[in-house]
Amino acid sequence: MPQSVPTFAELLAETSGSAVHLETRDVYAVAEEDADFANFRVGKGYDLDDRESWWTPFHQLVSDGVARGVSVRRVRVVSEPVTEYIRYEHAITPQNLAAGEDVRWLPRSQASDLLLPGNDLWIFDDRAVKFGIFTGDGGLVGHEMTYDPRIVKQVADAVAAVWERAVPHKEFQV
């Protein structure tokens, strides 16, 4: 695997067809979400109509990619009952939808017969996979990249199976 891992922005800029994200953790401890998660925990939401208050560079990257024809999808495999963090993710998913993502959810109990990758990941045009490596408590350790066609195909097939079984965001209740 290469020493240098391209950023999401760099990979998305090179993508012409699809970018697919698989999330399998029930808790994330990502510093840039700390304030929003703390607000969620005390009942403070956001106004989807006040886009300037929540729109981030990530949302802009996704929106720009979708505008040039890239399909951006995210599928989350979650335990039930869901954790507080997953309730938070569910509450902010309309932001992802507004940016142009298609988001689905799959209860972990419905994934027992699926072969899942060991780490969260992004697949870009079925040519590259960027793995996210996390600590047990959800802290991001770093990323690994592969362009190995065999691994990319295995991962893409696994994520496709999850996607087919998962339900759209609007149908998933937390």
Side-chain angles (χ1 to χ4, degrees):
M1 295 195 182
Q3 293 288 350
S4 176
V5 176
T7 66
F8 174 78
E10 291 167 333
L11 290 162
L12 190 60
E14 298 171 355
T15 300
S16 60
S18 68
V20 184
H21 190 31
L22 172 68
E23 294 181 1
T24 60
R25 300 188 52 82
D26 288 320
V27 174
Y28 292 89
V30 183
E32 58 264 16
E33 293 178 343
D34 285 351
D36 287 341
F37 186 45
N39 284 336
F40 171 80
R41 294 178 91 182
V42 297
K44 292 182 184 173
Y46 65 92
D47 180 357
L48 192 60
D49 293 328
D50 182 14
R51 185 171 127 160
E52 287 189 24
S53 70
W54 57 264
W55 193 260
T56 66
F58 174 80
H59 295 117
Q60 191 61 52
L61 287 170
V62 169
S63 181
D64 292 347
V66 169
R68 60 183 177 77
V70 176
S71 167
V72 181
R73 296 180 294 145
R74 177 185 307 257
V75 62
R76 295 176 170 133
V77 179
V78 297
S79 300
E80 291 183 307
V82 299
T83 62
E84 181 181 36
Y85 184 86
I86 294 301
R87 285 194 307 277
Y88 160 72
E89 276 195 333
H90 191 271
I92 65 169
T93 294
Q95 297 171 354
N96 299 76
L97 300 174
E101 278 191 50
D102 188 0
V103 180
R104 292 188 182 183
W105 301 80
L106 182 64
R108 195 172 312 282
S109 63
Q110 295 176 26
S112 295
D113 61 333
L114 300 176
L115 300 177
L116 296 174
N119 293 298
D120 288 12
L121 56 89
W122 278 94
I123 307 168
F124 299 91
D125 281 341
D126 289 336
R127 65 171 173 74
V129 177
K130 182 176 183 175
F131 294 100
I133 312 301
F134 291 87
T135 63
D137 61 1
L140 181 64
V141 173
H143 294 97
E144 293 179 2
M145 198 75 207
T146 187
Y147 299 89
D148 180 324
R150 182 184 58 81
I151 295 171
V152 172
K153 181 174 179 357
Q154 287 175 338
V155 169
D157 288 349
V159 173
V162 173
W163 182 262
E164 288 304 314
R165 193 171 292 179
V167 298
H169 173 73
K170 291 180 181 181
E171 296 174 24
F172 186 74
Q173 302 298 314
V174 295

